[in-house]
């Protein structure tokens, strides 16, 4: 019996060694690439159009030309849409309607006619209002490219790419269906993302354009990498001797590069596993984590809009709007209309006698979000905490956190000034915060608020993981170059 156990243990060690060797050869370059690109991503985010950038490019609304009531723009809608706004498209004011299915359309605020696709010349005119614009030039019309391959741009395709001619090499993407700017990139972002997010996320355009296929590929590659890391860490523990050392007196049987890999794996192995397991979790395997956006049913209950109407007339809006107003958003909150007016400098003011939304009014509407819940609590956050923290993107403050006692223990973060729902976070979402975001970015408030401390901590972890990855790649290369047993000279 004892001999059988020893034989089984010996066979297990051998298969553990062989499994780690060949899994490491298969995934070693991925590990090295992920650590190197992760260091770049600490400082350069993937291109995205922020709300301040979008608003800064909107011209002031030509109120004298606005003649169509906002309710007329909703003709044909069965219910109040996901989004309705008034802004300029070139020299013409338009209503932009976003349906619940993501479809987008534009209606002239001058005569109510449907606005057709934006031409390249119209896209140039739109881009010309951006404060960064110097010598705008049309580049091309694209369906997909590296920076717009994400499915969030599907409803906006095709896209006109416009170069602004500024020193930063900024390019805008203008949606052909709506004439709205949906993305901006700079030369700095484009260059560094080739060494950051593109290799880190395997953002190869033909692959990423097929979202389901890309997700499966990432899940398999990162899943195999997880097994490679686990077998390596287990093998490192098996081969480590602290009490009964090897004849040489060392705690490891290896020499040279293999010793670096063994010791580095023991020191940096948990770091490596933390990054790769959390990266695998970021793909939401088996759909374990709920989306952070509220559902359509939640939003409709929260708004409680009485059909496809805004509840506001054009005269009252025009009477209270300033000449510099760049956008008016029409919405409902708990059965009452809202129409906040936005300006290019980021300010947002109430319209038509609607006061700044009080937390009590938001809380009253929020009770409709999860009707099956027995109770609800609402607290105001004036500073960030673990579940509401800034990293690459700035979080709004103050914010109202509304919590429910439903089976999913759902939370919502709501802007108390506008009533806008900023995020939904249930029990699974909070688990994802621990399992993915924390273990992948270590964005603890204390570290992030003291960036040199966070930078040093992250770079140290990346360096430890890089030693393991680089030594593994070198050892794998040596193993592959070794001649087969049958071809060796006698």
């Amino acid at each position: 019996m004892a001999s059988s156990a020893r034989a089984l243990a010996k066979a297990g060690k051998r298969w553990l060694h062989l499994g780690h060797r060949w899994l490491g050869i298969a995934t070693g370059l991925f590990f090295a690439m992920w650590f190197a690109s992760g260091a770049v991503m600490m400082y350069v985010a993937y291109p995205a159009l922020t709300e301040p950038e979008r608003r800064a490019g909107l011209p002031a609304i030509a109120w004298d030309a606005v003649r169509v009531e906002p309710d007329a723009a909703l003709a044909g809608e069965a219910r109040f849409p996901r989004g309705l706004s008034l802004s300029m498209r070139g020299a013409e004011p338009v209503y932009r309607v976003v349906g619940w299915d993501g479809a987008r359309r534009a209606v002239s605020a001058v005569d109510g006619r449907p606005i057709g696709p934006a031409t390249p010349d119209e896209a140039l005119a739109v881009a010309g209002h951006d404060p960064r614009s110097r010598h705008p030039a049309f580049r091309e019309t694209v369906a997909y490219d590296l920076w717009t391959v994400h499915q969030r741009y599907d409803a906006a395709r095709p896209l006109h790419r416009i170069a602004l001619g500024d020193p930063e090499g900024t390019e805008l993407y203008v949606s052909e269906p709506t004439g709205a700017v949906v993305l901006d990139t700079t030369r700095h972002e484009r260059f560094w993302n080739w060494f950051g997010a593109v290799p880190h996320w395997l953002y190869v355009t033909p692959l990423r354009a097929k979202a389901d296929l890309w997700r499966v590929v990432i899940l398999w590659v990162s899943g195999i990498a997880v097994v490679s890391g686990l077998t390596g860490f287990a093998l490192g523990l098996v081969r480590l001797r602290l009490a009964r050392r090897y004849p040489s007196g060392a705690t490891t049987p290896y020499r040279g590069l293999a010793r670096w890999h063994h010791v580095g794996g023991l020191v940096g192995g948990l770091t490596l596993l933390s990054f790769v397991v959390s990266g695998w979790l970021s793909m939401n395997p088996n759909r374990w984590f709920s989306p952070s956006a509220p559902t359509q049913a939640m939003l409709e209950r929260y708004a409680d809009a009485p059909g496809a109407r805004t509840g506001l007339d054009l005269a009252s809006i025009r009477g209270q709007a300033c000449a510099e107003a760049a956008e008016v958003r029409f919405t409902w909150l708990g059965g009452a209309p809202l129409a906040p007016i936005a300006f290019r400098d980021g300010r947002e003011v109430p319209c038509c006698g609607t006061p700044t939304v009080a937390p009590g009014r938001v809380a009253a509407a929020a009770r409709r979000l999860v009707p099956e819940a027995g109770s609800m609590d609402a607290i105001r956050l004036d500073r960030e905490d673990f579940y509401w923290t800034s990293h690459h993107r700035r979080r709004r403050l103050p914010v109202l956190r509304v919590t429910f006692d439903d089976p999913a223990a759902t939370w919502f973060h709501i802007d108390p000034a506008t009533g806008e729902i900023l995020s939904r976070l249930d029990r699974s979402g909070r688990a994802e915060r621990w399992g993915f975001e924390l273990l992948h970015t270590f964005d603890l408030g204390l570290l992030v608020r003291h960036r040199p401390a966070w930078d040093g901590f992250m770079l140290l972890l990346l360096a430890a993981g890089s030693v393991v990855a680089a030594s593994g790649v070198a050892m794998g290369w040596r193993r592959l170059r070794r001649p087969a047993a049958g071809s060796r000279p006698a």
Side-chain angles (χ1 to χ4, degrees), residues 64-103:
D64 291 343
V66 180
R67 300 184 182 89
V68 175
E69 297 285 340
D71 285 356
L74 298 179
E77 297 285 340
R79 55 170 64 92
F80 199 84
R82 186 182 187 92
L84 173 66
S85 63
L86 171 66
S87 59
M88 298 296 291
R89 175 168 157 177
E92 183 176 13
V94 299
Y95 291 102
R96 288 187 168 91
V97 184
V98 181
W100 289 105
D101 59 354

Coordinates of all heavy atoms in Angstrom, one line a residue, residues 64-103:
D64 N -33.6 80.9 -31.9 CA -34.5 81.5 -32.9 C -35.0 80.6 -34.0 O -36.1 80.8 -34.6 CB -33.8 82.7 -33.5 CG -33.6 83.9 -32.5 OD1 -34.3 83.9 -31.5 OD2 -32.8 84.8 -32.8
A65 N -34.2 79.5 -34.2 CA -34.6 78.6 -35.3 C -35.4 77.4 -34.8 O -36.0 76.6 -35.6 CB -33.3 78.1 -36.0
V66 N -35.5 77.3 -33.4 CA -36.3 76.2 -32.8 C -37.8 76.5 -32.9 O -38.2 77.4 -32.2 CB -35.8 75.9 -31.4 CG1 -36.6 74.7 -30.8 CG2 -34.3 75.6 -31.4
R67 N -38.5 75.7 -33.7 CA -39.9 75.9 -33.8 C -40.8 74.7 -33.5 O -42.0 74.8 -33.3 CB -40.3 76.4 -35.2 CG -39.5 77.7 -35.6 CD -40.0 78.2 -37.0 NE -39.2 79.4 -37.4 CZ -38.1 79.4 -38.0 NH1 -37.5 78.3 -38.3 NH2 -37.5 80.6 -38.3
V68 N -40.2 73.6 -33.4 CA -40.9 72.3 -33.2 C -40.9 72.0 -31.7 O -39.9 72.0 -31.1 CB -40.2 71.2 -34.0 CG1 -40.9 69.8 -33.7 CG2 -40.3 71.5 -35.5
E69 N -42.1 71.6 -31.2 CA -42.3 71.2 -29.8 C -41.5 69.9 -29.6 O -41.5 69.0 -30.5 CB -43.7 71.1 -29.5 CG -44.5 72.4 -29.6 CD -44.3 73.3 -28.4 OE1 -43.7 72.8 -27.4 OE2 -44.5 74.5 -28.6
P70 N -41.0 69.7 -28.4 CA -40.3 68.5 -28.1 C -41.2 67.3 -28.2 O -40.7 66.2 -28.6 CB -39.8 68.7 -26.7 CG -40.6 69.8 -26.1 CD -40.9 70.7 -27.2
D71 N -42.5 67.4 -27.9 CA -43.4 66.2 -28.0 C -43.6 65.8 -29.5 O -43.8 64.6 -29.7 CB -44.8 66.5 -27.4 CG -44.7 66.6 -25.9 OD1 -43.7 66.2 -25.3 OD2 -45.8 66.9 -25.3
A72 N -43.4 66.7 -30.4 CA -43.6 66.4 -31.8 C -42.4 65.5 -32.3 O -42.6 64.7 -33.2 CB -43.6 67.6 -32.7
A73 N -41.3 65.6 -31.6 CA -40.1 64.7 -32.0 C -40.4 63.3 -31.6 O -39.7 62.4 -32.1 CB -38.8 65.2 -31.3
L74 N -41.3 63.0 -30.7 CA -41.6 61.7 -30.2 C -42.8 61.0 -31.0 O -43.3 60.0 -30.5 CB -42.0 61.7 -28.7 CG -40.9 62.3 -27.8 CD1 -41.4 62.3 -26.3 CD2 -39.6 61.4 -27.9
A75 N -43.2 61.6 -32.1 CA -44.3 61.0 -32.9 C -43.9 59.6 -33.3 O -42.8 59.4 -33.8 CB -44.6 61.9 -34.1
G76 N -44.8 58.7 -33.1 CA -44.5 57.3 -33.5 C -43.9 56.5 -32.4 O -43.8 55.2 -32.5
E77 N -43.5 57.1 -31.2 CA -43.0 56.3 -30.1 C -44.2 55.8 -29.3 O -45.1 56.5 -29.0 CB -42.1 57.2 -29.2 CG -40.8 57.7 -29.9 CD -39.8 56.7 -30.1 OE1 -39.8 55.7 -29.4 OE2 -38.9 56.8 -31.0
A78 N -44.1 54.6 -28.8 CA -45.1 54.0 -28.0 C -44.9 54.4 -26.5 O -45.9 54.4 -25.8 CB -45.1 52.5 -28.1
R79 N -43.7 54.7 -26.1 CA -43.4 55.1 -24.7 C -42.3 56.1 -24.8 O -41.7 56.4 -25.8 CB -43.0 53.9 -23.9 CG -41.8 53.1 -24.5 CD -41.2 52.1 -23.6 NE -42.2 51.0 -23.3 CZ -42.3 49.9 -24.0 NH1 -41.5 49.7 -25.0 NH2 -43.1 49.0 -23.7
F80 N -42.1 56.7 -23.6 CA -41.0 57.7 -23.6 C -39.6 56.9 -23.8 O -39.4 55.9 -23.3 CB -40.9 58.3 -22.2 CG -40.1 59.6 -22.2 CD1 -40.8 60.8 -22.6 CD2 -38.8 59.7 -21.9 CE1 -40.1 62.0 -22.6 CE2 -38.1 60.8 -21.9 CZ -38.7 62.0 -22.3
P81 N -38.8 57.4 -24.7 CA -37.6 56.7 -25.1 C -36.5 56.7 -24.1 O -36.6 57.4 -23.0 CB -37.1 57.5 -26.4 CG -37.6 58.9 -26.2 CD -38.9 58.7 -25.4
R82 N -35.5 56.0 -24.3 CA -34.3 56.0 -23.4 C -33.7 57.3 -23.3 O -33.2 57.7 -22.2 CB -33.3 54.9 -23.8 CG -32.2 54.7 -22.9 CD -31.2 53.7 -23.4 NE -30.2 53.4 -22.3 CZ -30.3 52.4 -21.5 NH1 -31.3 51.6 -21.5 NH2 -29.3 52.2 -20.5
G83 N -33.6 58.1 -24.4 CA -33.0 59.4 -24.4 C -33.7 60.3 -25.4 O -34.0 59.9 -26.5
L84 N -33.8 61.6 -24.9 CA -34.3 62.7 -25.8 C -33.6 63.9 -25.5 O -33.5 64.3 -24.3 CB -35.8 62.9 -25.7 CG -36.4 64.1 -26.5 CD1 -36.3 63.8 -28.0 CD2 -37.8 64.3 -26.1
S85 N -32.9 64.6 -26.5 CA -32.2 65.8 -26.2 C -32.3 66.7 -27.4 O -32.7 66.3 -28.5 CB -30.7 65.5 -26.0 OG -30.1 64.9 -27.1
L86 N -32.1 68.0 -27.1 CA -32.1 69.1 -28.1 C -30.7 69.7 -28.2 O -30.2 70.1 -27.1 CB -33.1 70.1 -27.8 CG -33.1 71.4 -28.6 CD1 -33.5 71.1 -30.1 CD2 -34.1 72.5 -28.0
S87 N -30.1 69.7 -29.3 CA -28.8 70.3 -29.5 C -28.6 70.7 -31.0 O -29.6 70.5 -31.8 CB -27.6 69.4 -29.0 OG -27.7 68.2 -29.7
M88 N -27.4 71.1 -31.4 CA -27.2 71.5 -32.8 C -26.5 70.4 -33.5 O -25.8 69.6 -33.0 CB -26.3 72.8 -32.8 CG -26.9 74.0 -32.1 SD -28.3 74.6 -32.9 CE -27.6 75.3 -34.5
R89 N -26.9 70.4 -34.8 CA -26.1 69.5 -35.8 C -25.7 70.4 -36.9 O -26.5 70.7 -37.8 CB -27.0 68.4 -36.3 CG -26.3 67.5 -37.4 CD -27.1 66.3 -37.6 NE -26.8 65.7 -39.0 CZ -27.3 64.6 -39.4 NH1 -28.1 63.9 -38.7 NH2 -27.0 64.2 -40.7
G90 N -24.5 70.9 -36.8 CA -24.0 71.9 -37.8 C -24.7 73.2 -37.5 O -24.6 73.7 -36.4
A91 N -25.4 73.7 -38.4 CA -26.1 75.0 -38.3 C -27.6 74.8 -37.9 O -28.3 75.8 -37.8 CB -26.0 75.8 -39.5
E92 N -28.0 73.6 -37.7 CA -29.5 73.3 -37.5 C -29.7 72.7 -36.2 O -29.1 71.7 -35.8 CB -30.0 72.4 -38.6 CG -31.5 72.1 -38.5 CD -32.0 71.3 -39.7 OE1 -31.1 70.7 -40.4 OE2 -33.2 71.2 -39.9
P93 N -30.7 73.2 -35.4 CA -31.0 72.5 -34.1 C -31.8 71.3 -34.4 O -32.7 71.2 -35.3 CB -31.9 73.6 -33.4 CG -32.5 74.4 -34.5 CD -31.4 74.4 -35.6
V94 N -31.5 70.2 -33.7 CA -32.2 68.9 -33.9 C -32.5 68.3 -32.5 O -31.9 68.5 -31.5 CB -31.3 67.9 -34.7 CG1 -31.0 68.5 -36.1 CG2 -30.0 67.6 -33.9
Y95 N -33.6 67.4 -32.6 CA -33.9 66.6 -31.4 C -33.2 65.2 -31.7 O -33.4 64.7 -32.8 CB -35.4 66.4 -31.3 CG -36.1 67.6 -30.8 CD1 -36.8 68.4 -31.7 CD2 -36.1 68.0 -29.4 CE1 -37.5 69.6 -31.2 CE2 -36.7 69.1 -29.0 CZ -37.4 69.9 -29.9 OH -38.1 71.0 -29.4
R96 N -32.5 64.7 -30.8 CA -31.9 63.3 -30.9 C -32.7 62.4 -30.0 O -32.8 62.6 -28.8 CB -30.4 63.4 -30.6 CG -29.6 64.1 -31.6 CD -28.1 63.9 -31.3 NE -27.3 64.4 -32.5 CZ -26.8 65.6 -32.6 NH1 -27.1 66.5 -31.7 NH2 -26.1 65.9 -33.7
V97 N -33.2 61.3 -30.6 CA -34.0 60.3 -30.0 C -33.2 59.0 -29.9 O -32.7 58.5 -30.9 CB -35.3 60.1 -30.6 CG1 -36.2 59.1 -29.8 CG2 -36.0 61.4 -30.9
V98 N -33.0 58.4 -28.7 CA -32.4 57.1 -28.5 C -33.4 56.1 -28.0 O -34.0 56.3 -26.9 CB -31.2 57.2 -27.5 CG1 -30.6 55.8 -27.4 CG2 -30.2 58.2 -28.0
G99 N -33.7 55.1 -28.8 CA -34.7 54.1 -28.4 C -34.2 53.1 -27.4 O -33.0 53.0 -27.2
W100 N -35.1 52.4 -26.9 CA -34.7 51.3 -25.9 C -34.0 50.2 -26.6 O -33.2 49.5 -25.9 CB -36.0 50.8 -25.2 CG -36.6 51.8 -24.3 CD1 -37.7 52.5 -24.4 CD2 -36.1 52.2 -23.0 NE1 -37.9 53.3 -23.4 CE2 -36.9 53.1 -22.4 CE3 -35.0 51.8 -22.2 CZ2 -36.7 53.7 -21.2 CZ3 -34.7 52.4 -21.0 CH2 -35.6 53.3 -20.5
D101 N -34.1 50.1 -27.9 CA -33.3 49.0 -28.6 C -32.0 49.5 -29.0 O -31.2 48.8 -29.7 CB -34.1 48.5 -29.8 CG -34.5 49.6 -30.8 OD1 -34.2 50.8 -30.5 OD2 -35.0 49.3 -31.8
G102 N -31.6 50.8 -28.7 CA -30.4 51.4 -29.1 C -30.4 52.1 -30.4 O -29.4 52.8 -30.7
A103 N -31.5 52.0 -31.1 CA -31.6 52.7 -32.4 C -31.6 54.3 -32.1 O -32.2 54.7 -31.1 CB -32.9 52.3 -33.1

